[in-house]
Amino acid sequence: GVAHNTMVPLAARNDFRVAFNICRSERQGAIDDDGRRFIERVVPHLCRSMQLGFRLDGYRALQRAEHDVLDRLSVGVVLFDRRARVIYSNAAAASLSSDDSVLCVRNGMIAARSDLNASRFASLIRSVLSGMTAASISLPRSGDGRPITVVASSVRGRDVGRFADHHMPDAAVLLLMIDPTTRPKIPSAWIMEAYGLTQAEARVALAASSGTTIAETAEQLGLSSHTVKTHLRKVFDKTG
């Protein structure tokens, strides 16, 4: 039943177009001069709204990317509010507070498992909440004895806005937990894109960068030592 159509382009990108469209029937008739003038007044506001929408979507995408990057880190990252309650923790921090680790999470609070270390850990958080810029302690493991390094830092005023955007306006303490036994997990796609590596070269590069020998890398990836050496030569050439 559409007899008349008025269309105004609002935005154009490489992969799509946005337009404002008014359809009218034969009975309604075409838009008259007053209607066209009204649309001309409205269109600039619609264009600004579209551009604002694009910017907000882009900003949200950056926020999601920030969380994704934090979860890729081998360092545990925890944010506390002013009551020393956990308001954010990344994947590495969650693994460091698992059932068999030196830390535990109860009712939104994080603490060391042993009484002695729990007191030291609580004192660390309190000192930063009380105004100390940064402080650190080491927490020994029960297994191999290699300690986890814990660094606490106050959240600076200019950072509060960033955390508020993530619905964490009360962030007061940033905690970093460094486990020497945890190796960084870098997605192979990242270095493939950054250095132009093939998937096979990226797998060898990541395995070798974790400290394995050529023989160990070959066994780990199910390749021959000769193939590993060939891939490494190409990796060195491409990465410099």
Side-chain angles (χ1 to χ4, degrees):
V2 174
H4 306 279
N5 180 49
T6 301
M7 180 182 292
V8 182
L10 299 180
R13 296 288 180 91
N14 292 332
D15 53 346
F16 68 95
R17 301 287 185 272
V18 181
F20 177 62
N21 204 53
I22 297 178
C23 299
R24 295 168 65 90
S25 67
E26 185 69 43
R27 183 180 60 82
Q28 290 172 312
I31 292 180
D32 58 17
D33 290 342
D34 287 341
R36 282 192 291 272
R37 282 192 290 270
F38 174 75
I39 292 174
E40 288 172 355
R41 291 197 300 271
V42 170
V43 164
H45 300 285
L46 293 176
C47 289
R48 281 193 290 272
S49 296
M50 288 300 308
Q51 295 301 323
L52 179 60
F54 291 147
R55 292 189 180 188
L56 289 174
D57 285 343
Y59 186 52
R60 292 189 190 102
L62 286 174
Q63 288 182 322
R64 291 192 295 270
E66 286 176 347
H67 279 123
D68 183 57
V69 169
L70 285 175
D71 276 335
R72 300 280 188 181
L73 296 178
S74 60
V75 174
V77 179
V78 181
L79 276 173
F80 294 90
D81 64 15
R82 301 194 180 281
R83 295 180 298 167
R85 297 183 65 86
V86 177
I87 57 177
Y88 171 80
S89 62
N90 70 346
S95 67
L96 286 171
S97 56
S98 59
D99 293 340
D100 57 349
S101 186
V102 296
L103 299 171
C104 62
V105 178
R106 296 192 190 96
N107 301 321
M109 311 288 281
I110 189 169
R113 290 190 182 277
S114 73
D115 291 340
L116 175 62
N117 290 329
S119 176
R120 295 172 59 225
F121 186 85
S123 177
L124 173 75
I125 302 301
R126 282 197 304 269
S127 65
V128 175
L129 283 172
S130 299
M132 185 176 293
T133 304
S136 63
I137 60 172
S138 61
L139 299 175
R141 285 177 189 276
S142 57
D144 58 13
R146 298 181 69 179
I148 292 176
T149 301
V150 180
V151 181
S153 172
S154 61
V155 173
R156 297 169 297 180
R158 67 186 183 192
D159 294 327
V160 171
R162 289 178 56 81
F163 294 127
D165 292 336
H166 290 288
H167 307 292
M168 295 180 284
D170 297 326
V173 177
L174 174 67
L175 196 75
L176 303 177
M177 300 184 292
I178 305 160
D179 183 357
T181 65
T182 302
R183 292 174 176 172
K185 296 178 181 178
I186 303 171
S188 58
W190 288 8
I191 62 171
M192 288 170 64
E193 182 178 353
Y195 297 105
L197 304 183
T198 66
Q199 187 170 21
E201 292 165 355
R203 291 178 66 222
V204 169
L206 289 172
S209 68
S210 67
T212 59
T213 64
I214 288 179
E216 290 168 340
T217 299
E219 182 178 359
Q220 177 182 330
L221 300 179
L223 303 172
S224 69
S225 295
H226 176 73
T227 300
V228 170
K229 290 178 182 177
T230 300
H231 285 321
L232 281 177
R233 278 197 294 270
K234 293 179 180 177
V235 168
F236 293 143
D237 287 341
K238 292 181 178 180
T239 63

